[in-house]
């Protein structure tokens, strides 16, 4: 397991389908959590895609402005958990790829991106992500420096 470990906690608002993956993550079974989340992501995209195509036709395009808002609420927790799993496994490419798909990035997301970019040998992107993390939450300065455990709600 990679240091620092990001300790994710259950949030009552956590989407129900993500709870098994969050349990796997907490048990340090990251590969199994990734497999579960990738399967969940495929199923969600197909069902969401069909739903929004039907809504677009039914409303004459009026549903289109709500698409990105709904996608953010649906996929941000999924991609955030995937980013953390890849990060814990040391798969920085996967972590950066999933990080890019998060709509509303938190200070913790920027911190993980900074550490992943650093490991990939991209110092400019790492510095930029670090600045955004510290701007979002000044306490991230000490966390980035010490490499200790951090808790957040999922």
């Amino acid at each position: 397991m990679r240091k620092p470990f990001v300790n994710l906690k259950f949030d009552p608002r956590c989407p129900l389908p993500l709870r098994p993956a969050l349990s796997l993550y907490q048990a340090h079974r990251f590969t199994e959590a990734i497999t579960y989340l990738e399967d969940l992501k495929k199923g969600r995209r197909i069902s969401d895609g069909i739903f929004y195509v039907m809504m677009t036709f039914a409303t004459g395009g009026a549903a289109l402005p709500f698409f990105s808002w709904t996608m953010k609420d649906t996929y941000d927790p999924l991609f955030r958990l995937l980013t953390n799993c890849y990060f814990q496994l040391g798969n920085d490419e996967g972590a950066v790829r999933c990080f890019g798909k998060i709509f509303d990035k938190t200070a913790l997301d920027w911190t993980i991106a900074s550490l992943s970019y650093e490991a990939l040998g991209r110092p400019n992107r790492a510095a930029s992500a670090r600045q955004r993390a510290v701007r979002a939450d000044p306490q991230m300065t000490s966390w980035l420096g010490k490499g200790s455990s951090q808790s957040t709600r999922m």
Side-chain angles (χ1 to χ4, degrees):
M1 182 175 66
R2 184 180 198 171
K3 301 278 184 192
F5 177 70
V6 180
N7 185 20
L8 300 175
K9 297 179 181 178
F10 279 112
D11 186 334
R13 296 170 296 176
C14 176
L16 201 55
L18 292 182
R19 290 188 183 203
L22 193 52
S23 295
L24 289 168
Y25 177 88
Q26 290 171 332
H28 305 288
R29 295 165 57 189
F30 306 117
T31 306
E32 294 172 54
I34 289 171
T35 302
Y36 176 84
L37 289 166
E38 289 292 341
D39 291 343
L40 182 64
K41 183 173 68 171
K42 288 175 192 170
R44 293 297 300 252
R45 281 200 174 146
I46 291 168
S47 64
D48 287 352
I50 291 169
F51 174 76
Y52 277 103
V53 165
M54 290 174 59
M55 287 303 291
T56 300
F57 284 121
T59 62
L64 285 176
F66 300 102
F67 184 71
S68 63
W69 173 69
T70 306
M71 296 299 280
K72 172 183 67 86
D73 289 345
T74 303
Y75 289 107
D76 266 8
L78 188 142
F79 284 119
R80 186 167 288 121
L81 187 51
L82 268 173
T83 300
N84 285 305
C85 286
Y86 281 123
F87 175 75
Q88 294 303 150
L89 287 173
N91 182 345
D92 294 305
E93 280 292 330
V96 167
R97 184 180 64 247
C98 289
F99 166 77
K101 295 178 182 179
I102 300 172
F103 285 95
D104 286 336
K105 295 170 176 67
T106 64
L108 186 60
D109 297 331
W110 285 109
T111 301
I112 289 173
S114 173
L115 295 170
S116 293
Y117 281 130
E118 234 172 70
L120 290 171
R122 299 180 187 165
N124 292 339
R125 288 190 175 221
S128 174
R130 181 181 297 258
Q131 288 174 352
R132 292 186 92 167
V134 171
R135 196 174 321 133
D137 184 357
Q139 293 180 345
M140 287 297 161
T141 305
S142 61
W143 190 67
L144 276 165
K146 293 181 183 176
S148 63
S149 177
Q150 177 74 15
S151 294
T152 188
R153 293 197 176 272
M154 174 59 74

